[in-house]
Amino acid sequence: MKESHKNKFKTPEGYFESFNERLMKKISKEDSMIPQNDGFKMPYGYFNGLDKKILENLPAKGSKVILLQSYKPYYYTAAAIAALFLVIFTSNWNSDKALQFEDLNNTEIAQYFENNEFGLTSYEIAEAVDLNESEIVNINDMSVEEATLMDYLEENIDEYDEINLDYNENL
Amino acid sequence: MIAEETLVNELKDKTSQAKAFEVLVNTYKERLYWHIRRIVLNHNDADDVLQNTFIKVYRNIDGFKGDSKLYSWMYRIATNESLTFLKQQSKKQGISGEELKNNIIENLQADVYFEGDAIQLKLQKALATLPEKQKLVFNMKYYQEMKYDEIAEILETSVGGLKASYHLAVKKIEAYLKAD
């Protein structure tokens, strides 16, 4: 039924189209035992000064803005320099044999990564590294002696907890 | 409200950037705050993560190509910043993610910015038992009242999958709240 043209009242655009959905939502919430308010609040007037606080913390005008992607060259440079130092200090200067990556001691490599905090989150690394350029290593092809594995876990048991910290969907 | 495309262009232009950024912060600060707060739970942590989120948006706006909506892109950054924050906290404190969640909930009772009663505290405990994605979907749908297609764009997943996750989350929470 069409509303009389004498009616001067108006409703927001799309009001009746979305009415059923809003009504059903309200009914389902009222039926639910889950509280409609989760009890969180914040300091009085928190949002009023927030924009000023954020603007003050922005990188200064004219300062170089470092994009996430640009970490990549730094990674390579840092790794190359570190590898060079490790090679120089851990090898015999008079040796005729050309040095290979295999000549690096595993402990020294682990030590390097341990001591050099890159400060990048996994999110930032994921942004910077292009998966298409990476080789997929089939870990099944790698054979690890059980004793070596047990030794590793024994020594690094403190970090083992992190393996459980994932956000996988377990339906 | 200023059109999103105009805002993005102004954010990329050095001459209008500062003003546009102020508009951006004022437009999205509350929505993003509540999204972050429901992940990290504590107000001070939410404040830190919210500021980091906006700083990250400011630094990376030139790389925003407009393939997704600006607000979905910002929500994604906020979600990642919040989850990364929790991971860093558990690493710093030398405890598992599970232990960290339990500690945060225990501390809620003493938090001046949480005025929940026993049932609201139990709700947080119930939410802590959910897989991260179900928890996100539940909070976004039930408390932030977002539409499925908006959530789907933010979490980069299908609407069908989201509906299943949401209903499963509701069932699990109700079962937890019913239990003694």
Side-chain angles (χ1 to χ4, degrees), chain A residues 10-70:
Chain A
K10 281 164 81 176
T11 59
E13 204 181 313
Y15 171 76
F16 291 111
E17 282 81 354
S18 63
F19 182 80
N20 291 17
E21 194 187 330
R22 285 182 289 112
L23 178 68
M24 294 317 289
K25 197 188 288 175
K26 194 162 185 183
I27 290 171
S28 71
K29 274 197 177 183
E30 280 179 357
D31 283 349
S32 173
M33 63 188 304
I34 301 171
Q36 291 188 41
N37 181 311
D38 54 7
F40 290 113
K41 60 173 190 168
M42 64 202 153
Y44 179 74
Y46 166 68
F47 287 125
N48 294 341
L50 188 68
D51 45 342
K52 200 174 267 182
K53 205 157 73 171
I54 292 170
L55 290 167
E56 280 167 7
N57 286 331
L58 287 179
K61 264 198 168 177
S63 72
K64 194 180 176 196
V65 174
I66 300 165
L67 296 176
L68 288 178
Q69 283 78 356
S70 66

Side-chain angles (χ1 to χ4, degrees), chain A residues 50-111:
Chain A
L50 188 68
D51 45 342
K52 200 174 267 182
K53 205 157 73 171
I54 292 170
L55 290 167
E56 280 167 7
N57 286 331
L58 287 179
K61 264 198 168 177
S63 72
K64 194 180 176 196
V65 174
I66 300 165
L67 296 176
L68 288 178
Q69 283 78 356
S70 66
Y71 281 114
K72 207 172 171 181
Y74 290 116
Y75 259 123
Y76 292 143
T77 313
I81 292 169
L84 192 65
F85 271 97
L86 282 173
V87 168
I88 290 167
F89 291 118
T90 58
S91 65
N92 182 354
W93 283 90
N94 298 322
S95 170
D96 292 335
K97 190 184 159 214
L99 289 166
Q100 302 293 324
F101 182 76
E102 287 73 23
D103 294 327
L104 287 173
N105 188 321
N106 282 345
T107 323
E108 284 162 346
I109 297 171
Q111 194 78 38

Side-chain angles (χ1 to χ4, degrees), chain A residues 21 25 28-29 31-44 46-51 53-55 57-59 61 65-69 71 117 119-124 127 161-162 164-171, chain B residues 21-22 25-26 29-30 33-34 37-38 41 43 47 50-51 54-56 58-60 77 80 83-84 87-88 90-91 97 108 112-116 120 123-124 131-134 138 142-143 145 165 168 170 172-174 177-178:
Chain A
E21 194 187 330
K25 197 188 288 175
S28 71
K29 274 197 177 183
D31 283 349
S32 173
M33 63 188 304
I34 301 171
Q36 291 188 41
N37 181 311
D38 54 7
F40 290 113
K41 60 173 190 168
M42 64 202 153
Y44 179 74
Y46 166 68
F47 287 125
N48 294 341
L50 188 68
D51 45 342
K53 205 157 73 171
I54 292 170
L55 290 167
N57 286 331
L58 287 179
K61 264 198 168 177
V65 174
I66 300 165
L67 296 176
L68 288 178
Q69 283 78 356
Y71 281 114
E117 179 61 63
L120 289 181
T121 64
S122 53
Y123 169 64
E124 287 165 332
E127 288 255 316
D161 271 348
E162 278 186 51
N164 297 320
L165 187 68
D166 59 25
Y167 298 101
N168 285 342
E169 182 86 298
N170 296 315
L171 297 179
Chain B
F21 190 70
E22 204 176 324
V25 173
N26 284 327
K29 61 187 177 186
E30 290 200 35
Y33 170 84
W34 287 113
R37 178 76 187 272
R38 289 187 172 107
L41 306 186
H43 166 72
D47 181 39
L50 180 64
Q51 291 190 49
F54 277 116
I55 290 171
K56 200 153 262 185
Y58 180 83
R59 282 180 171 169
N60 292 288
I77 293 176
N80 282 324
L83 296 177
T84 303
K87 271 193 176 183
Q88 283 168 344
S90 64
K91 198 173 178 184
L108 267 183
V112 288
Y113 300 121
F114 180 73
E115 54 186 13
Q120 283 154 330
L123 168 73
Q124 290 307 318
E132 203 58 53
K133 192 175 162 193
Q134 276 178 29
F138 175 80
Y142 196 85
Y143 286 116
E145 301 193 329
S165 283
L168 209 55
V170 170
K172 284 184 189 173
I173 294 168
E174 284 179 342
L177 293 178
K178 270 182 208 159

